[in-house]
Amino acid sequence: MRQGLTKQQIIKQAAQQIEETGLHNLTLAALAQRLHIKTPSLYNHINNLTDLRNGLSCYGLSMLTEKLIQSALGKSQDDALFAIAGTYIAFAKEHPNLYDAIIHVPDPTDPDLHQIAERLLNFLFKILEGYPLSEEDRVHAVRGLRSIVHGFASLQLHQGFNMKNDQDESLKWILSAYLAGLKLNLSNKS
Amino acid sequence: MRQGLTKQQIIKQAAQQIEETGLHNLTLAALAQRLHIKTPSLYNHINNLTDLRNGLSCYGLSMLTEKLIQSALGKSQDDALFAIAGTYIAFAKEHPNLYDAIIHVPDPTDPDLHQIAERLLNFLFKILEGYPLSEEDRVHAVRGLRSIVHGFASLQLHQGFNMKNDQDESLKWILSAYLAGLKLNLSNKS
DNA sequence: TTAAAATACTAATAAAATTAGTTTTGCGGA
DNA sequence: TCCGCAAAACTAATTTTATTAGTATTTTAA
């Protein structure tokens, strides 16, 4: 049987697969079965397992990026950043293994990935243009934002937090503190 | 040949191994060769590969915890926190794959691990006692601290930052902003 | 319509974790 | 000192992987 199978479809199925089995339990055998082909036939579309994992990273990151951009539409400043952070955490919670794939990229120098990452970075920079930061400070500020939101997501996914207190509230609290300090910082500098 | 082989020694060798090959490329064959025994002999000391990985997580986390505690000796408040953050990032940079093992725990409910994690958490809470925070806010504050420092380390390790600007400086900048906001927050509350 | 490219297949290989069963070694009690 | 037992090593075998080679079939394009 011959189906109009594309690499994108394979990656999409792989994304579903890893949410069932975990990222590091992704096997070509199981993926092939899901696609109703034999294992070696996969090699007509992908180079190897590493290549597939790379594809997963790109797929996940571009999906996340679009959601983040959508969630900030019509918002600015703190409003936008709270929305972005919330969307980010929600994505990680909804697709924990795909999120893992985004972080554990087999080849971080992949050009496709680079392009998507750039899109996300430009977006975050744009949002932070709402704040009177120097060009250099804006780089720090974006890194801080990403650290907070990724660190929070990662710890949450890997059971790093205990259950005693509300985690959603923690995120807002942390972001509030960071943004407050961020504003304070620049007035002190001038 | 019979050597006084212990589980701890095996874990220690595995820790060296993963720094050479990467966490997910840890194989029992290579580890056995390094210990001058045959692969199945490993099963006299460990239950399986997952068990070994769990051991690596415990080993890494307790090592990290001790270093953090050491680095904060004789310091308090911001001084202590900057030292802790610096030591944390340095550890992650020096043992990137062991750090990976700390985060990607096979079994997060493992009692041994829980005990070590508790030790780290208690330590961080102790440091934050230097700030006039409510019990509840201190939970948020600790989570924020961990998010920042882990998120920064993780992104740095996985090439998440571009090279244009100094990353050490970014960490200080971010932490400064967070701590400033943290202090501001509580004065606003009263 | 025919040549070529894409896409499927079967068969085979190498490396991995794991299990079963066996031998060796060293220690503690008689 | 010796004897038994448990720990710790081994060999052999199994199952599951990824991956390659080679072949057939289907679609596409000239």
Side-chain angles (χ1 to χ4, degrees), chain A residues 157-173:
Chain A
L157 288 186
H158 297 96
Q159 324 264 6
F161 298 139
N162 63 28
M163 289 298 156
K164 282 179 200 145
N165 301 64
D166 187 4
Q167 303 188 5
D168 292 344
E169 205 183 332
S170 283
L171 178 67
K172 287 182 199 151
W173 194 96

Side-chain angles (χ1 to χ4, degrees), chain B residues 34-52:
Chain B
R34 180 189 280 265
L35 293 163
H36 307 295
I37 58 177
K38 304 295 174 185
T39 307
S41 303
L42 281 169
Y43 286 83
N44 286 316
H45 305 278
I46 62 172
N47 296 327
N48 47 48
L49 186 58
T50 303
D51 181 41
L52 175 64

Side-chain angles (χ1 to χ4, degrees), chain A residues 78-111:
Chain A
D78 289 10
D79 270 358
L81 290 179
F82 277 101
I84 289 168
T87 303
Y88 193 103
I89 301 298
F91 179 89
K93 214 181 274 187
E94 199 173 345
H95 313 283
N97 293 288
L98 186 58
Y99 183 75
D100 236 40
I102 296 176
I103 300 302
H104 290 81
V105 193
D107 175 19
T109 70
D110 181 279

Side-chain angles (χ1 to χ4, degrees), chain B:
Chain B
M1 208 191 324
R2 188 97 164 244
Q3 42 182 324
L5 199 53
T6 70
K7 188 167 182 178
Q8 272 308 306
Q9 287 172 345
I10 292 179
I11 291 174
K12 209 176 228 168
Q13 288 295 320
Q16 288 186 231
Q17 172 98 17
I18 59 173
E19 294 306 342
E20 295 169 11
T21 65
L23 177 60
H24 61 286
N25 287 329
L26 172 64
T27 77
L28 295 184
L31 181 57
Q33 194 167 22
R34 180 189 280 265
L35 293 163
H36 307 295
I37 58 177
K38 304 295 174 185
T39 307
S41 303
L42 281 169
Y43 286 83
N44 286 316
H45 305 278
I46 62 172
N47 296 327
N48 47 48
L49 186 58
T50 303
D51 181 41
L52 175 64
R53 290 226 179 93
N54 238 334
L56 272 174
S57 303
C58 291
Y59 173 74
L61 187 59
S62 77
M63 189 167 159
L64 171 58
T65 300
E66 296 313 315
K67 289 201 177 190
L68 294 180
I69 292 176
Q70 286 302 315
S71 74
L73 279 182
K75 302 199 177 78
S76 70
Q77 303 257 39
D78 289 11
D79 270 357
L81 290 178
F82 276 101
I84 289 168
T87 302
Y88 193 103
I89 301 297
F91 179 89
K93 215 181 274 185
E94 198 173 345
H95 313 283
N97 293 288
L98 186 57
Y99 183 75
D100 236 39
I102 295 176
I103 300 301
H104 290 79
V105 193
D107 174 19
T109 69
D110 180 279
D112 291 355
L113 191 72
H114 214 264
Q115 193 178 346
I116 304 168
E118 194 114 354
R119 179 164 162 74
L120 176 54
L121 278 181
N122 287 338
F123 166 66
L124 292 179
F125 269 97
K126 199 104 190 173
I127 297 288
L128 282 186
E129 274 176 14
Y131 299 80
L133 293 162
S134 75
E135 194 68 30
E136 195 185 337
D137 281 354
R138 213 188 315 280
V139 173
H140 296 318
V142 167
R143 286 178 178 173
L145 201 61
R146 293 176 63 208
S147 295
I148 288 175
V149 88
H150 161 57
F152 191 91
S154 176
L155 289 174
Q156 195 171 46
L157 289 186
H158 297 97
Q159 323 264 6
F161 298 138
N162 64 28
M163 289 298 155
K164 282 180 200 145
N165 302 62
D166 186 5
Q167 303 187 5
D168 291 344
E169 204 182 333
S170 282
L171 178 66
K172 287 181 199 154
W173 194 96
I174 296 162
L175 201 54
S176 294
Y178 179 63
L179 293 179
L182 191 147
K183 289 164 196 160
L184 204 69
N185 231 357
L186 51 97
S187 22
N188 282 356
K189 278 257 173 90
S190 62

